[in-house]
Amino acid sequence: MTTILAVDRLSKHFGGLYALNELTFSVDEHEIVSIIGPNGAGKSTVFNVMTALYRPDGGDIVFRGESILDRAPSQIVRLGIARTFQNVKLFPNMTVLENAMVGQHCRSTSGVFGAVFLTPSQRREEARIRERAITALRFFGTRLAGYRQDQPAFVLSYANRRRLEMARALATEPSLLLLDEPTAGMNPRETLELRDHIKRMRDELDVTILVIEHDMRVVKGVSDRVIACDYGQKIAEGSYDEVANDEHVIEAYLGTKASG
C-alpha cells in the first residue's frame, strides 16, 4: 500500500495544555481510518493543524511525500485535502447548488477580466464548476439532488445540511477527505445511511478517508483501521476489535482499567 498521509510527532499546545503531544500515525491510499477518543483527546485539533487553521508547535505532516506545514488552507485544498467540520459551516442564504459550487473555487482559473466580461473561457469554466457540483450532490441522491439543489441551504434538515457540507468537500475533487464527526446529531436511521455513504465515497469515488467519530457502530462499520487517542497521544492502533478491547482505550473512556 502507498502512504498518502504521514503525521510525524505532531505537537500543539495552548498555553500549558498539550492538545497534541508528539502524535504519529499514517494513512494509506484507499483506506478508511477512524480516530476515536474521549472529549479533549485532541482529535479535532489534528484536523485543524492538517488544514492550516492552527500552526503546530512541533512535528511534521507529509501528504503524498511532501510536507504541507508551510501551506495556506487554500493551497492544501488544491493539493487534494478537503474536510468537514464538527459544527456545520454552510452559506445558509445561498442555494444548495451554490454551496456545492463553492467547493470548486480552489480549481477556478479565470480572473477578474473573465468574470466581468463573461469570456468564452469563463463560461466554459462556470459550466464545468456547475456540473462538478451537481455530480457531488447526486452522490447523495434525492437528499440533495433534483429540486432541492435550487432551495436555500437554510431550509434543509440538519442531516441534509451535513450531507451538503460533505458534497461541497467532494466538489473540491479531493484525494483525502477529513470527516469531523459526520453523524453527530443524526438519528439512528440517518446515521446508518451516512455510514454507507462513507464506504461508497471510498469505493465509488476512490477517496481516502480519515474520520473522527464517536458512534462506535459507524467506526466498526467503515474502518480499515482505528487509532485511539487520549490527551493528544496515540494509545492504541489496529482493527476495530483490537482497539475496542485494548485496556488503555477502556481506561481512557471509562476511567478504570479493564478487569479479567
Side-chain angles (χ1 to χ4, degrees), residues 201-214:
M201 288 178 200
R202 189 270 304 275
D203 296 339
E204 298 178 17
L205 304 180
D206 198 26
V207 177
T208 303
I209 299 173
L210 183 62
V211 57
I212 295 170
E213 185 53 65
H214 279 295

Side-chain angles (χ1 to χ4, degrees), residues 64-86:
R64 294 195 180 281
E66 179 181 356
S67 176
I68 60 172
L69 289 189
D70 60 345
R71 303 281 185 159
S74 59
Q75 294 174 315
I76 289 172
V77 176
R78 283 196 293 272
L79 286 173
I81 300 176
R83 71 168 295 180
T84 64
F85 291 85
Q86 186 174 349

Side-chain angles (χ1 to χ4, degrees), residues 25-38:
F25 67 89
S26 63
V27 179
D28 291 336
E29 286 197 55
H30 314 302
E31 270 195 311
I32 300 176
V33 176
S34 293
I35 300 178
I36 67 170

Side-chain angles (χ1 to χ4, degrees), residues 55-248:
R55 290 199 61 83
D57 296 303
D60 200 2
I61 302 171
V62 177
F63 178 68
R64 294 195 180 281
E66 179 181 356
S67 176
I68 60 172
L69 289 189
D70 60 345
R71 303 281 185 159
S74 59
Q75 294 174 315
I76 289 172
V77 176
R78 283 196 293 272
L79 286 173
I81 300 176
R83 71 168 295 180
T84 64
F85 291 85
Q86 186 174 349
N87 299 312
V88 178
K89 298 181 183 296
L90 296 172
F91 299 98
N93 293 314
M94 291 170 56
T95 68
V96 169
L97 177 58
E98 289 167 342
N99 268 274
M101 290 174 67
V102 168
Q104 271 286 303
H105 177 72
C106 66
R107 308 293 177 194
S108 176
T109 58
S110 295
V112 174
F113 181 86
V116 171
F117 294 99
L118 293 178
T119 61
S121 63
Q122 170 69 19
R123 289 195 295 271
R124 287 193 298 270
E125 182 168 75
E126 183 77 9
R128 179 187 61 78
I129 290 172
R130 180 183 177 88
E131 185 56 37
R132 179 60 187 154
I134 289 173
T135 299
L137 294 174
R138 284 175 178 163
F139 179 83
F140 296 93
T142 57
R143 301 290 191 184
L144 297 178
Y147 75 92
R148 289 191 186 275
Q149 71 185 32
D150 297 318
Q151 293 182 323
F154 72 80
V155 308
L156 295 178
S157 68
Y158 176 78
N160 280 341
R161 291 180 194 181
R162 296 200 74 91
R163 293 183 181 99
L164 178 54
E165 192 178 35
M166 282 181 267
R168 184 177 61 190
L170 290 176
T172 69
E173 303 177 49
S175 51
L176 175 63
L177 181 60
L178 312 178
L179 300 177
D180 194 347
E181 298 194 25
T183 68
M186 291 189 177
N187 64 41
R189 180 181 56 81
E190 293 165 340
T191 295
L192 294 178
E193 182 178 328
L194 189 56
R195 179 197 63 186
D196 294 338
H197 284 323
I198 293 172
K199 290 190 291 187
R200 286 180 53 226
M201 288 178 200
R202 189 270 304 275
D203 296 339
E204 298 178 17
L205 304 180
D206 198 26
V207 177
T208 303
I209 299 173
L210 183 62
V211 57
I212 295 170
E213 185 53 65
H214 279 295
D215 192 313
M216 291 299 106
R217 295 170 302 172
V218 176
V219 174
K220 183 176 183 178
V222 304
S223 305
D224 296 307
R225 281 189 298 123
V226 178
I227 297 167
C229 296
D230 194 24
Y231 295 107
Q233 295 179 306
K234 181 172 67 177
I235 58 174
E237 180 177 1
S239 69
Y240 172 83
D241 288 335
E242 289 171 337
V243 172
N245 291 291
D246 186 280
E247 64 178 22
H248 300 293

